[in-house]
Amino acid sequence: MSNTYYTRDHEYIRVDGDTGVVGVTDHAQHALGDIVYVELPEVGASFKRGDQVAVVESVKAASEVFAPVTGEVVAINGALEKEPGAVNEAPLDKGWFYKVRVADRAELDGLMDEAAYAAFLKTLA
Amino acid sequence: MTDIASPPSAPLARTPLHALHLTLGGKMVPFAGHDMPVHYSPGVLAEHLHTRSEAGLFDVSHMGQAFLIGPSHEATARALECLCPADILDLAPGRQRYTQFTTADGGIIDDLMVTRSADPAEDGVLMLIVNAARKEVDFAHLEAALAPNIRLARAPHRALLALQGPKAAEVLARHSDPSAALGFMAAASMKVAGLDCHVSRSGYTGEDGFEISIRADRVERLARTLLAEPEVWPIGLGARDSLRLEAGLCLYGHDIDETTSPVEAGLVWSMGKRRRTEGGFPGATRIQRELAEGPARKRVGLLPEGRAPAREGTEITDGEGRKIGVVTSGGFGPTLNGPLAMGYVDPAHAAVGVSVMLVVRGKPLPATVAPMPFVPHRYRR
C-alpha cells in the first residue's frame, strides 16, 4: 500500500513512521508555472490541518499552501531558497517543502490515496 | 493550495490568431475581455529570456486601433491636443509618440501611441493604438469631444503583432527591406512577406523591435511566416508583463489610472514643452501645478533585498512602520533574476537609494528605491 496521501488543494504528504514529507503535487507545479520563490514555515512551529503553512510564488502570482495534517514542523527544505525551480523539476522528490511530526494519524484517513487523487484530477479537466 | 483552478468561463472575444494560439499550445486565460495566451509550452520564464536574447512574437490584436481623420495635420493634431498633453502638432510625418488621455482632474483615462502617417497623401491622418480594456471608453471620449470636421474611424478589421528582441530587426529584414531603415519611434507602410502592413519601430519590452498592423484576414499568414524563422518564438502575455516591468513601463489599470497624474507617474518626458507651458488639455490646472510645485506622490522602482516578490497592493512603509505608499506592479524579473516592483511613494521617500519596507504577508521586508528601467533599454537609436 502506498504511503503517500493527497489533498483536494494539491498538497501531498509521504508518511514514514510518525513523520511525513509535505509538498505540492505535479499537477500543482504544472498549473503554477515557473516557481520563483517559496516561503517555508519555521522548524518547531506547529500547524493545524488546513492552516496556511507556506507560500509558493510563480512569475505571475502567489499561492498559499495548506497543512495536510496537524503537527510540528521538524525540518524544512532550505535548498528551495536558492533553487525554487526544484519544485517544478521534481515536486515529489527534491522539491519537497517540509517534514512534519504527524500528531494524529487518523487525519490521514481523510486524505486521498494516489488512485483517488488521480480520479479527482480527472474531474477537474 | 489556492489560485490554481481555471477561472470560470465568460463570453470572451477572440483575436484573429485564436486558432493559431491553440495550435501552438497556448495556455489561454481571460484578459481585457479576450481569450488570450498567457504562455506557451516553454513557460513565462523561458519566453521572457528568449525575447531578451533572440526574438519573440506577441499577438496584441486585442488592443484598440483607430484612425483620426481631419482636413489637415494641423486640424487633426489640434483636435487631439485638446485631449492629451503631448505635442502632436510638432509630430513629423512617419513619427510616433506616446501620450495619455487625461481627465478634467488630471488623471489618466488611458495611455496610447499616436502615429502620423508618413504618406503626404494622408496628411491629416493620425493612427491611434489604445489599451484593450479601455478602447470603448477612449473611443466614446474621443467621439464626444471631436469637432465635426474630425472623424474617428475605428479599425477592428486590423490585427496587431509585436516582434521584439535583439534579433527582431534581422528577422524582419528578411521579409521587408524597408523595415531596416526605420529608426526608433518611426513608422511607415510597407510590404512584409508580400503583405500590406503598417510597421512602427517600437514596443513594450525595452528591446529593439516592431509593431506590425495588418488586416485581420491576413495576420495568420504573417504570423506563421515570422514564427517559421528559427529565432522567433510565440510569447504570451505573462512574459509581456514581466518584460515591461523590467523595462519600467507603466501598465494601465495598475501603475496609472484615473487617479494618477502624468506628473506623479513620471511621464513628464512625454508632454510637449510647449504644452507644459500653454496647457489647453484636460486637467492642465492640476498638472501645471504639480509641474511647478511637485506632485503629492511619485512612481518609483523598488528592489526587494530578499527573494520574496512584493505584488500589486503591497503596502510600502518607512523605517518606523508609517505607510508611505503602495506597490502597483510587482513580481519576479527573469533577466534581473530577482524580485522587482514599482509603486507610488510620498516625495520625501522617492529618491534613488532610499531604504523602505514592503509589507509582504504582514512582514516588513527591506527594499530600496531603484532607478528604472531595471534592465537597460536596447532601443534602436
Side-chain angles (χ1 to χ4, degrees):
Chain A
M1 201 185 119
S2 166
N3 58 348
T4 307
Y5 302 85
Y6 300 85
T7 71
R8 296 174 69 87
D9 297 317
H10 310 286
E11 294 93 9
Y12 69 83
I13 176 167
R14 189 169 58 247
V15 181
D16 180 13
D18 65 348
T19 64
V21 175
V22 176
V24 301
T25 66
D26 191 55
H27 170 84
Q29 69 81 14
H30 267 293
L32 289 164
D34 304 302
I35 290 163
V36 296
Y37 179 73
V38 180
E39 186 174 287
L40 295 170
E42 283 177 22
V43 172
S46 285
F47 295 89
K48 286 200 172 63
R49 181 181 60 172
D51 283 353
Q52 183 199 315
V53 67
V55 176
V56 57
E57 301 215 19
S58 67
V59 180
K60 274 300 280 179
S63 299
E64 298 171 327
V65 175
F66 304 111
V69 297
T70 302
E72 182 192 335
V73 175
V74 294
I76 58 170
N77 183 4
L80 293 183
E81 192 182 336
K82 281 214 164 69
E83 205 193 342
V87 181
N88 290 120
E89 284 169 50
L92 300 166
D93 183 29
K94 66 174 181 176
W96 64 279
F97 280 31
Y98 70 99
K99 286 182 184 160
V100 58
R101 182 169 294 119
V102 180
D104 177 6
R105 288 187 65 93
E107 281 182 354
L108 296 171
D109 297 336
L111 302 177
M112 290 177 276
D113 65 11
E114 190 155 352
Y117 182 63
F120 171 66
L121 288 182
K122 285 197 178 125
T123 68
L124 303 180
Chain B
M1 308 203 6
T2 49
D3 275 344
I4 62 169
S6 303
S9 54
L12 293 170
R14 294 176 170 186
T15 76
L17 291 179
H18 190 266
L20 181 61
H21 295 315
L22 297 181
T23 305
L24 293 168
K27 179 177 159 50
M28 308 301 284
V29 298
F31 179 83
H34 290 70
D35 194 33
M36 297 296 287
V38 65
H39 63 76
Y40 301 87
S41 52
V44 176
L45 217 60
E47 290 171 25
H48 176 115
L49 296 172
H50 186 85
T51 305
R52 291 245 187 270
S53 64
E54 299 275 323
L57 187 70
F58 302 73
D59 177 18
V60 285
S61 303
H62 57 308
M63 298 189 79
Q65 298 184 71
F67 298 95
L68 209 53
I69 304 164
S72 66
H73 174 68
E74 186 179 346
T76 313
R78 286 204 186 280
L80 189 57
E81 283 194 356
C82 292
L83 300 176
C84 69
D87 192 334
I88 306 295
L89 208 52
D90 176 52
L91 190 61
R95 299 294 305 173
Q96 188 170 52
R97 197 156 277 172
Y98 169 80
T99 188
Q100 309 85 35
F101 291 130
T102 46
T103 69
D105 299 326
I108 299 174
I109 296 170
D110 197 6
D111 60 343
L112 69 152
M113 294 293 258
V114 181
T115 308
R116 180 177 175 185
S117 176
D119 183 350
E122 291 181 348
D123 184 56
V125 176
L126 295 172
M127 281 156 275
L128 312 181
I129 300 177
V130 304
N131 281 298
R134 300 297 284 173
K135 58 188 170 191
E136 295 310 321
V137 170
D138 293 337
F139 294 156
H141 176 64
L142 271 164
E143 278 167 342
L146 291 176
N149 64 335
I150 311 291
R151 187 164 62 90
L152 177 75
R154 304 183 191 204
H157 63 291
R158 296 193 74 85
L160 193 66
L161 295 177
L163 182 67
Q164 300 279 299
K167 302 286 176 68
E170 188 184 326
V171 166
L172 200 61
R174 282 176 215 151
H175 301 282
S176 179
D177 290 336
S179 68
L182 284 179
F184 182 60
M185 298 293 272
S189 293
M190 64 185 71
K191 297 263 190 201
V192 181
L195 302 164
D196 286 322
C197 294
H198 189 266
V199 180
S200 70
R201 195 148 199 171
S202 56
Y204 194 46
T205 60
E207 298 294 325
D208 185 20
F210 303 87
E211 290 195 346
I212 308 168
S213 174
I214 181 172
R215 271 181 41 175
D217 56 354
R218 295 174 186 160
V219 68
E220 187 170 337
R221 266 172 70 195
L222 179 61
R224 286 183 182 273
T225 299
L226 294 173
L227 288 170
E229 296 294 343
E231 298 92 339
V232 181
W233 286 10
I235 309 294
L237 292 179
R240 183 170 160 82
D241 189 48
S242 55
L243 287 159
R244 72 89 197 168
L245 183 52
E246 283 186 343
L249 301 172
C250 292
L251 176 60
Y252 192 86
H254 300 263
D255 310 302
I256 48 177
D257 60 27
E258 292 196 356
T259 69
T260 58
S261 80
V263 184
E264 292 174 338
L267 301 174
V268 173
W269 58 269
S270 69
M271 293 181 205
K273 203 173 173 187
R274 169 177 62 85
R275 306 300 315 281
R276 290 179 217 175
T277 320
E278 284 179 7
F281 49 86
T285 311
R286 169 182 172 186
I287 288 168
Q288 287 177 319
R289 188 188 67 234
E290 289 180 352
L291 284 169
E293 299 169 12
R297 54 182 175 168
K298 287 182 173 172
R299 183 173 65 95
V300 296
L302 297 160
L303 280 177
E305 282 175 23
R307 300 293 294 174
R311 306 284 176 178
E312 179 177 2
T314 298
E315 193 169 289
I316 308 170
T317 61
D318 65 11
E320 275 78 57
R322 283 185 294 259
K323 183 175 176 179
I324 56 167
V326 66
V327 169
T328 51
S329 282
F332 181 84
T335 301
L336 204 63
N337 190 24
L340 76 175
M342 61 171 83
Y344 285 84
V345 295
D346 70 58
H349 295 86
V352 166
V354 168
S355 295
V356 299
M357 293 290 186
L358 304 177
V359 185
V360 176
R361 291 180 284 274
K363 277 178 269 182
L365 305 177
T368 309
V369 174
M372 289 191 287
F374 298 97
V375 171
H377 292 161
R378 296 193 290 179
Y379 300 136
R380 186 188 185 195
R381 295 291 181 184

